């Protein structure tokens, strides 16, 4: 699903001899909202989040260092970021399936986006899909810690307005 080119975040890509725009953060959020409206029961939504985590590329064991651990998560969540051009690339792993799914969802939204846009992003889709209302307080804190860390990386990579 994600284009992991080393060129950074080219805002356009070739598609059948025409140029098409890469999805923005808002567009990626809209896709996730559409995906989650398909499910009526929260167990189905949890299963979808878990499947997103299973689809996340495995983080190299060498990258599972303490300095990449997201502070404030109940589970161990490793988050790696790199600046490529004006954009931020993210990779992650977690030792719990729901945490891995949540970080996979955030990566789906933020990966290969301009650092300034990541730093300034409003993640309204989390409210819209009802995720915050269906997480335990410790998981909700972990979600906020993941978002905070991703935005911190974006700011560090020049995403300040």
């Amino acid at each position: 699903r994600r284009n992991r080119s080393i060129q950074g975040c080219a805002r356009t890509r070739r598609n059948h001899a025409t140029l098409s725009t890469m999805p923005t953060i808002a567009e990626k959020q809209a896709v996730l909202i559409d995906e989650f409206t398909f499910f009526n029961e929260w167990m189905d939504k949890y299963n979808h989040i878990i499947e997103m985590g299973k689809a996340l590329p495995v983080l190299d064991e060498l990258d599972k260092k303490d300095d990449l651990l997201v502070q404030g998560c109940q589970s161990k969540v490793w988050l790696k970021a790199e600046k490529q051009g004006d954009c931020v690339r993210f990779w992650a792993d977690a030792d719990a399936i729901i945490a891995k799914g949540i970080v996979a969802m955030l990566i789906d939204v933020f990966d290969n986006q301009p650092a300034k846009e990541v730093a300034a992003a409003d993640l309204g889709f989390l409210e819209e899909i009802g995720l915050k209302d269906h997480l335990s307080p410790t998981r909700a804190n972990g979600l906020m810690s993941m978002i905070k860390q991703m935005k911190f990386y974006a700011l560090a990579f020049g995403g300040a307005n």
Side-chain angles (χ1 to χ4, degrees), residues 1-2 32 36 42 45-56 70 73-79 90 92-110 123 125-126 129-148 150:
R1 291 199 308 171
R2 283 186 266 317
L32 284 170
F36 277 85
W42 257 97
K45 292 180 183 186
Y46 283 129
N47 285 332
H48 185 60
I49 291 168
I50 290 167
E51 290 303 315
M52 291 179 80
K54 288 179 181 177
L56 189 67
V70 176
C73 288
Q74 177 180 353
S75 307
K76 286 187 175 183
V77 177
W78 295 270
L79 181 63
F90 291 102
D93 203 351
D95 67 352
I97 56 173
I98 194 72
K100 187 169 182 172
I102 290 169
V103 76
M105 189 167 34
L106 294 173
I107 286 175
D108 194 44
V109 171
F110 283 148
L123 296 178
F125 85 99
L126 296 170
I129 66 173
L131 182 62
K132 287 184 176 180
D133 296 333
H134 289 87
L135 291 177
S136 68
T138 54
R139 290 261 185 248
N141 286 340
L143 168 64
M144 297 314 295
S145 294
M146 290 178 214
I147 294 167
K148 182 179 173 182
M150 293 174 103

Side-chain angles (χ1 to χ4, degrees), residues 1-159:
R1 291 199 308 171
R2 283 186 266 317
N3 176 10
R4 293 242 178 219
S5 72
I6 58 172
Q7 299 171 10
C9 69
R11 299 304 290 168
T12 57
R13 65 176 175 223
R14 284 227 178 260
N15 186 4
H16 301 292
T18 63
L19 290 177
S20 63
T21 304
M22 295 291 287
T24 65
I25 290 173
E27 290 167 340
K28 288 181 173 191
Q29 289 185 72
V31 168
L32 284 170
I33 290 167
D34 286 346
E35 285 179 17
F36 277 85
T37 57
F38 177 77
F39 304 106
N40 295 321
E41 301 294 324
W42 257 97
M43 284 309 298
D44 295 329
K45 292 180 183 186
Y46 283 129
N47 285 332
H48 185 60
I49 291 168
I50 290 167
E51 290 303 315
M52 291 179 80
K54 288 179 181 177
L56 189 67
V58 176
L59 187 66
D60 191 302
E61 288 298 319
L62 296 174
D63 289 323
K64 292 184 180 179
K65 301 180 259 183
D66 288 348
D67 62 329
L68 293 181
L69 282 171
V70 176
Q71 300 302 311
C73 288
Q74 177 180 353
S75 307
K76 286 187 175 183
V77 177
W78 295 270
L79 181 63
K80 178 182 176 182
E82 292 180 4
K83 182 178 181 179
Q84 292 185 0
D86 292 334
C87 292
V88 184
R89 303 305 313 271
F90 291 102
W91 297 268
D93 203 351
D95 67 352
I97 56 173
I98 194 72
K100 187 169 182 172
I102 290 169
V103 76
M105 189 167 34
L106 294 173
I107 286 175
D108 194 44
V109 171
F110 283 148
D111 185 49
N112 208 21
Q113 295 293 321
K116 287 184 179 188
E117 291 178 26
V118 173
D122 173 18
L123 296 178
F125 85 99
L126 296 170
E127 296 285 338
E128 193 140 346
I129 66 173
L131 182 62
K132 287 184 176 180
D133 296 333
H134 289 87
L135 291 177
S136 68
T138 54
R139 290 261 185 248
N141 286 340
L143 168 64
M144 297 314 295
S145 294
M146 290 178 214
I147 294 167
K148 182 179 173 182
Q149 185 64 43
M150 293 174 103
K151 288 186 170 221
F152 175 78
Y153 279 129
L155 286 169
F157 295 148

